[in-house]
Amino acid sequence: MMLLTSGTRGDVEPFVALARYAAARGHQVRLGVPENSGADLSGVDTVSLDVDFHRLMGTRGLSPWTAVHHFRSEVGPGMRRMLSAAVRETLAFAPDLVLHHPLVLTAPAVADALGVPRALAEFVPVATPTQEFSAPGGPTVSKDLGPFNRATYAVPRSGARLFRRDVERACRQLPGGRTASPPAASRATLMGISPQLLPRPADWPDRVHLTGSWHCDAGAPDPDPAVAGFVRGGPCLVATFGSMTGGDPSAGGRTVVDSARAHGLRTLLVTGWGGLTLPEDRRGEDVLVVPSAPLDALLPDAALAVHHGGAGTVHTVARAGIPSVVVPFLVDQPFWGRQLHRRGIAAAPIPRRSLKPQTLVPAVGDALARREQAQRVGRAVRQEQGLPAALDVLTGL
């Protein structure tokens, strides 16, 4: 089977877990991945999709001109390379099944050309409409439009039209030099999402499978002993904004440390792609700064997490059984922030521009009061069998 993913680390790691799980059970698996995702790819047969999402997400100018320039210079060319590589690598592997991320827009055409079944993988429910909530990442994500919620899913679908010509160009590699229009529908959609965080909407069709999250502890790196010792050395707040950048990272770090100290907590600051940094005037023995850390191994010993609300981080925090404060930046993150709050395991989300001590200090106190519920949800998430459920669906197609 050919697995094709896109996006950042939170989009790559679940595919890696599924690739390892399927290969260990005798399946021949190849995984197409973006470059420099930060995910551990050891032991997995991978090929590059010729795109680096660090570059695609690295510039977030405030002016329309900056946005247009960045699209033309980085986003457009990066997507063209990825769409072409997905076709080229899938044809070369000749799989008997294709599973793909929604952004890999050429996957339907190459699966059709090979005459093999295709399934879609979603870690954020943007491609499967429902009446129960607006499309995550859309302009109405914070509103419940009732019977009009389904209409909001036209917005993410329309984004694919921006790359229609790029899809056509990439599909010239196919036998016959073109793609069927429209391509055949996917046989199944696999939602690698915990039902503890997102209960299944009643109007999703039967071909949509809410499998639980895709996670595998086998082969996970051990944390640095000094970092693990710091987290275990007293009540600790772990803060990370992952691949997010923007705003004033120094002000964000100052706010996080001040808010932790207001509650008698130590701070592990994981700087990631630079969304958080620590100013000199906030350094101390109660603060440790690291560029990255294996959150799965560290979070169970923490008191709570402050994070950006990416799908991967949301599941990691929930699995650890600790409460959190979500500081969403963009796209699906406000959706996950509200979901965690509704499930009783996080304070109300704080938009990035509103992150100040006067908002974060009370939010940390609110989150700490939710620890028992977070522990209950964590136990349930850890019992999920997301990988076996996903593989069962794929082998039945």
Side-chain angles (χ1 to χ4, degrees):
M1 63 180 70
M2 185 77 183
L3 311 185
L4 298 164
T5 189
S6 182
T8 56
R9 186 170 184 167
D11 300 283
V12 174
E13 288 185 332
F15 270 91
V16 172
L18 181 60
R20 285 198 181 109
Y21 183 83
R25 281 144 188 84
H27 296 276
Q28 188 177 2
V29 183
R30 182 165 292 172
L31 173 61
V33 294
E35 299 173 351
N36 302 319
S37 70
D40 176 14
L41 305 177
S42 60
V44 179
D45 179 7
T46 62
V47 290
S48 172
L49 294 186
D50 296 345
V51 62
D52 183 343
F53 274 81
H54 192 293
R55 293 178 62 88
L56 268 60
M57 298 177 65
T59 301
R60 293 197 182 95
L62 297 178
S63 71
W65 166 248
T66 301
V68 170
H69 175 73
H70 184 61
F71 184 91
R72 290 176 175 173
S73 63
E74 294 290 350
V75 177
M79 285 292 291
R80 280 193 288 275
R81 293 193 303 273
M82 181 189 73
L83 297 173
S84 179
V87 174
R88 180 181 68 248
E89 298 296 344
T90 305
L91 288 174
F93 188 53
D96 57 6
L97 182 146
V98 174
L99 174 70
H100 68 100
H101 186 286
L103 281 180
V104 186
L105 301 170
T106 47
V110 71
D112 281 1
L114 292 172
V116 300
R118 171 179 68 90
L120 180 68
E122 295 188 63
F123 308 117
V124 182
V126 295
T128 303
T130 177
Q131 188 173 306
E132 295 190 14
F133 49 80
S134 294
T140 60
V141 66
S142 62
K143 300 176 183 178
D144 183 357
L145 303 181
F148 298 103
N149 280 333
R150 293 182 67 89
T152 65
Y153 289 80
V155 175
R157 285 198 301 269
S158 67
R161 298 192 186 103
L162 293 172
F163 304 102
R164 179 178 55 82
R165 291 184 179 177
D166 298 318
V167 170
E168 292 173 352
R169 184 181 297 111
C171 287
R172 291 171 188 165
Q173 303 170 74
L174 296 175
R178 61 185 181 86
T179 176
S181 182
S186 64
R187 298 276 188 90
T189 295
L190 304 183
M191 294 283 183
I193 300 169
S194 170
Q196 297 297 320
L197 306 186
L198 182 69
R200 180 188 174 91
D203 57 351
W204 276 357
D206 291 342
R207 63 179 178 79
V208 177
H209 303 267
L210 186 63
T211 63
S213 63
W214 301 356
H215 169 75
C216 183
D217 289 318
D222 293 328
D224 181 284
V227 178
F230 178 85
V231 175
R232 295 169 186 156
C236 183
L237 180 155
V238 176
T240 177
F241 290 159
S243 59
M244 294 297 101
T245 60
D248 184 343
S250 181
R254 181 180 290 110
T255 294
V256 167
V257 171
D258 288 351
S259 300
R261 286 172 174 166
H263 290 277
L265 301 172
R266 298 147 65 84
T267 303
L268 175 65
L269 202 67
V270 183
T271 57
W273 285 11
L276 286 172
T277 60
L278 182 68
E280 288 292 332
D281 61 1
R282 290 304 189 273
R283 294 186 180 276
E285 292 184 357
D286 62 338
V287 181
L288 180 63
V289 182
V290 296
S292 62
L295 296 181
D296 266 313
L298 295 171
L299 288 179
D301 293 312
L304 82 157
V306 174
H307 59 96
H308 57 298
T313 304
V314 160
H315 281 84
T316 300
V317 174
R319 191 164 47 248
I322 65 171
S324 60
V325 180
V326 178
V327 183
F329 284 60
L330 43 75
V331 196
D332 60 305
Q333 296 161 12
F335 170 81
W336 288 119
R338 287 197 316 279
Q339 282 299 116
L340 266 60
H341 183 54
R342 287 170 180 163
R343 306 304 289 173
I345 61 175
I350 301 173
R352 177 66 180 88
R353 292 183 179 180
S354 301
L355 182 64
K356 301 173 182 177
Q358 54 264 43
T359 57
L360 187 56
V361 170
V364 168
D366 183 5
L368 290 170
R370 299 169 183 266
R371 185 165 182 84
E372 289 188 9
Q373 173 65 3
Q375 289 174 335
R376 285 192 290 268
V377 169
R379 285 191 292 270
V381 173
R382 291 192 295 273
Q383 292 172 1
E384 293 173 359
Q385 298 293 312
L387 293 175
L391 189 58
D392 283 348
V393 173
L394 294 176
T395 55
L397 295 180

